[in-house]
Amino acid sequence: MVVEDSPVQRAHAVALCRQLGIELIYEACDGAEALLQLGMLQLKPDLMLIDLHMPVMDGVELITHMHERGWKIPMLVVSSQQQSILNAVQELSSTLGLPMLGLLAKPMQREQLESVLQHYSQCKQRNALPSSSRPPIAVTSADLCHAIDTDQLQVHYQPKVDIPTGLVRGMEVLARWTHPELGRIPPDQFVALAEKENLIFDLSMQVLRKTIDQAAQWQHTGFYPRLAINLSPLLLDSPYIVTAICDMVTSRGIHPSQVVLEITESAGIEHLGRVIAVLTRLRLQGFGLSLDDYGTGFSSMQQLARLPFTELKIDRSFVHGAHLRSNLCVILDSALDMAKRLELTSVAEGIETLEDWRLLQQCGCNVGQGYLIGRPMPAEDIPGWLRSHRMRLPELRAPQAGSENKVEALVRA
Ligand code: C2E
Ligand code: CA
Ligand code: CA
């Protein structure tokens, strides 16, 4: 279905669709007409091409109504609006869990539409439509409790590397759970379940114990990576956590300075006084403290000012694709500047491309992590990864200084 108020643009879009072999095409001259037609159609269209600025009902309102009615029709936005508006529409569709295939500028080119449609049909074959909301797998707290008791949880390690040189600085520890019948459960889901069902202490202690066992083994072979462990803010309001963590780490001959605790900011820390005390005591013991997912919550600056962090970990939503989007670049640059002034190590997560890596190099970010460098992997894969990573160091190293500041160039463009 083509939803477009300009008759010329609509005819152009319809013609392109026909050239690409689409036979049945519905046309609507604004959101209201599209909604009306969709309501009458038993079989919804496979794809919607949606303009944004239209009289009566604009494209954003149409998308919102489609969401309210539960119509998850793959869509492509075709618009000549500013990039920041297009970004917001992309954000909206991913927040609502609607499948957005892409955003194209007008006039739409045949090659662009063709490439979007190709990508779409590949996704359809793999049954992997771009939607942010995959339905959760039905696991219960009893399942999770059993998994913890029977040692079903595993840990994977994702490298964190020095951005100027590519050298390994440490690894983040990520929990994994493969349920015997339901298969892999995403950590976001089981960590949230553990937090809700009062299992987060047991889960975290199991992850910590496995990590420290592994660190002790690596230490025997002369490998001393810094290990970053995720800690739920819910754990931080009990003074016992300090002793529990310290005992676990030091009992295996690991020094606390080898461990960084990544804390996700949480909007509603209930007992702030207790949390400040716990985190300050952990710092006193020598643990590093990282403010994880920086930029995603509304209290992040407040937390930075109150708590003794050593590291600022910028959320991947500001990193991924930053080289293409000047507004992300500006946010990234100011977060890095702030980290520098506060004498914190800056870490960027979610680096997937060499272009974003180069940008971070130019902006002076200290440490990076992401699929470009290495995916989370089991401990036994680390030696092989280290060998292949060594071969990539020349490619990753920063080109000599003297080139123009990339952020300024992007903003100017
Ligand atoms: P997080 O702390 O933000 O961890 C980083 C997540 O980003 C990981 O997802 C990692 O696999 C993913 N990631 C890394 N590089 C890239 C990249 O280049 N692109 C993209 N798109 N993603 C990348 P994962 O393993 O699914 O973990 C999700 C979240 O679950 C973690 O987010 C963390 O908040 C939580 N989590 C995982 N393990 C634990 C744990 O042991 N304890 C606690 N409390 N939370 C945990
Ligand atoms: Ca983390
Ligand atoms: Ca993170």
Side-chain angles (χ1 to χ4, degrees):
M1 179 180 285
V2 177
V3 191
E4 164 69 67
D5 60 319
S6 147
V8 177
Q9 295 287 352
R10 199 167 60 237
H12 173 65
V14 168
L16 285 186
C17 289
R18 284 206 204 291
Q19 284 173 26
L20 294 172
I22 301 175
E23 282 163 12
L24 180 57
I25 303 169
Y26 300 100
E27 296 179 39
C29 66
D30 76 351
E33 197 186 330
L35 265 191
L36 208 69
Q37 290 195 38
L38 287 173
M40 290 189 299
L41 288 172
Q42 280 289 333
L43 198 63
K44 304 289 181 248
D46 269 341
L47 170 67
M48 308 265 303
L49 265 61
I50 304 176
D51 177 27
L52 289 181
H53 192 71
M54 293 180 288
V56 187
M57 185 188 288
D58 62 50
V60 176
E61 209 183 338
L62 169 62
I63 292 173
T64 321
H65 280 298
M66 284 167 52
H67 166 66
E68 280 163 9
R69 289 167 205 209
W71 297 337
K72 293 201 170 192
I73 308 171
M75 56 195 168
L76 177 62
V77 164
V78 186
S79 165
S80 38
Q81 296 294 321
Q82 283 173 354
Q83 192 59 44
S84 59
I85 296 182
L86 299 183
N87 293 344
V89 173
Q90 172 91 55
E91 202 60 47
L92 172 73
S93 67
S94 99
T95 307
L96 299 179
L98 297 174
M100 172 67 79
L101 302 181
L103 305 152
L104 296 183
K106 284 182 187 172
M108 180 171 56
Q109 309 289 323
R110 184 191 150 126
E111 295 72 38
Q112 293 173 317
L113 182 60
E114 194 169 15
S115 111
V116 171
L117 292 180
Q118 259 169 12
H119 180 65
Y120 171 40
S121 62
Q122 282 162 4
C123 287
K124 246 186 11 185
Q125 278 163 12
R126 281 186 276 119
N127 209 2
L129 269 186
S131 160
S132 62
S133 64
R134 236 173 274 142
I137 303 167
V139 281
T140 62
S141 59
D143 286 332
L144 182 56
C145 199
H146 179 71
I148 296 172
D149 288 347
T150 56
D151 218 25
Q152 277 176 33
L153 296 184
Q154 291 175 324
V155 289
H156 279 192
Y157 299 86
Q158 187 180 32
K160 287 169 98 168
V161 302
D162 187 62
I163 289 197
T165 60
L167 294 170
V168 179
R169 292 271 285 251
M171 283 179 280
E172 177 173 3
V173 179
L174 293 155
R176 294 291 179 262
W177 177 21
T178 309
H179 187 282
E181 281 111 45
L182 301 169
R184 273 212 252 158
I185 317 291
D188 287 321
Q189 196 186 330
F190 69 78
V191 169
L193 182 67
E195 286 179 330
K196 197 167 126 238
E197 301 291 341
N198 228 347
L199 292 167
I200 191 67
F201 180 83
D202 295 345
L203 182 147
S204 307
M205 282 300 141
Q206 189 161 109
V207 169
L208 187 59
R209 182 178 53 72
K210 288 184 180 224
T211 307
I212 296 303
D213 285 350
Q214 184 59 55
Q217 273 187 41
W218 275 329
Q219 210 151 281
H220 279 304
T221 65
F223 180 42
Y224 295 84
R226 224 167 175 222
L227 293 161
I229 300 196
N230 290 287
L231 274 197
S232 160
L234 291 189
L235 285 173
L236 302 176
D237 67 357
S238 148
Y240 302 112
I241 192 78
V242 179
T243 328
I245 294 178
C246 283
D247 288 353
M248 179 85 78
V249 170
T250 50
S251 67
R252 301 299 310 268
I254 306 294
H255 193 269
S257 62
Q258 229 181 298
V259 179
V260 179
L261 304 170
E262 293 193 6
I263 323 280
T264 344
E265 50 178 312
S266 90
I269 289 182
E270 228 177 287
H271 306 285
L272 190 62
R274 288 193 217 158
V275 173
I276 297 177
V278 164
L279 289 178
T280 310
R281 289 177 59 209
L282 286 165
R283 269 297 286 133
L284 281 173
Q285 295 296 322
F287 289 96
L289 290 184
S290 175
L291 179 54
D292 203 355
D293 299 339
Y294 178 74
T296 56
F298 47 81
S299 61
S300 42
M301 294 237 198
Q302 240 178 12
Q303 297 208 31
L304 259 188
R306 282 177 180 151
L307 297 165
F309 286 107
T310 54
E311 179 180 289
L312 183 72
K313 195 163 181 189
I314 302 166
D315 188 69
R316 63 173 179 270
S317 56
F318 300 104
V319 174
H320 179 64
H323 77 283
L324 295 171
R325 289 164 64 175
S326 56
N327 57 345
L328 289 191
C329 258
V330 174
I331 296 171
L332 199 58
D333 208 34
S334 68
L336 291 171
D337 182 54
M338 191 177 63
K340 196 169 162 194
R341 289 174 184 215
L342 293 171
E343 297 179 11
L344 302 172
T345 304
S346 52
V347 182
E349 62 176 17
I351 310 174
E352 295 187 10
T353 64
L354 199 56
E355 288 82 2
D356 285 335
W357 171 263
R358 291 272 178 256
L359 174 78
L360 290 157
Q361 260 169 350
Q362 299 227 10
C363 297
C365 184
N366 303 133
V367 176
Q369 179 184 354
Y371 295 165
L372 173 75
I373 304 299
R375 293 193 174 236
M377 61 193 110
E380 58 268 26
D381 291 356
I382 293 288
W385 175 83
L386 283 169
R387 277 192 296 278
S388 57
H389 181 70
R390 213 168 294 137
M391 313 290 286
R392 288 184 71 196
L393 287 178
E395 179 199 15
L396 294 174
R397 198 163 294 139
Q400 282 312 302
S403 47
E404 183 186 26
N405 181 320
K406 185 82 178 279
V407 177
E408 280 165 19
L410 263 161
V411 171
R412 252 205 332 276

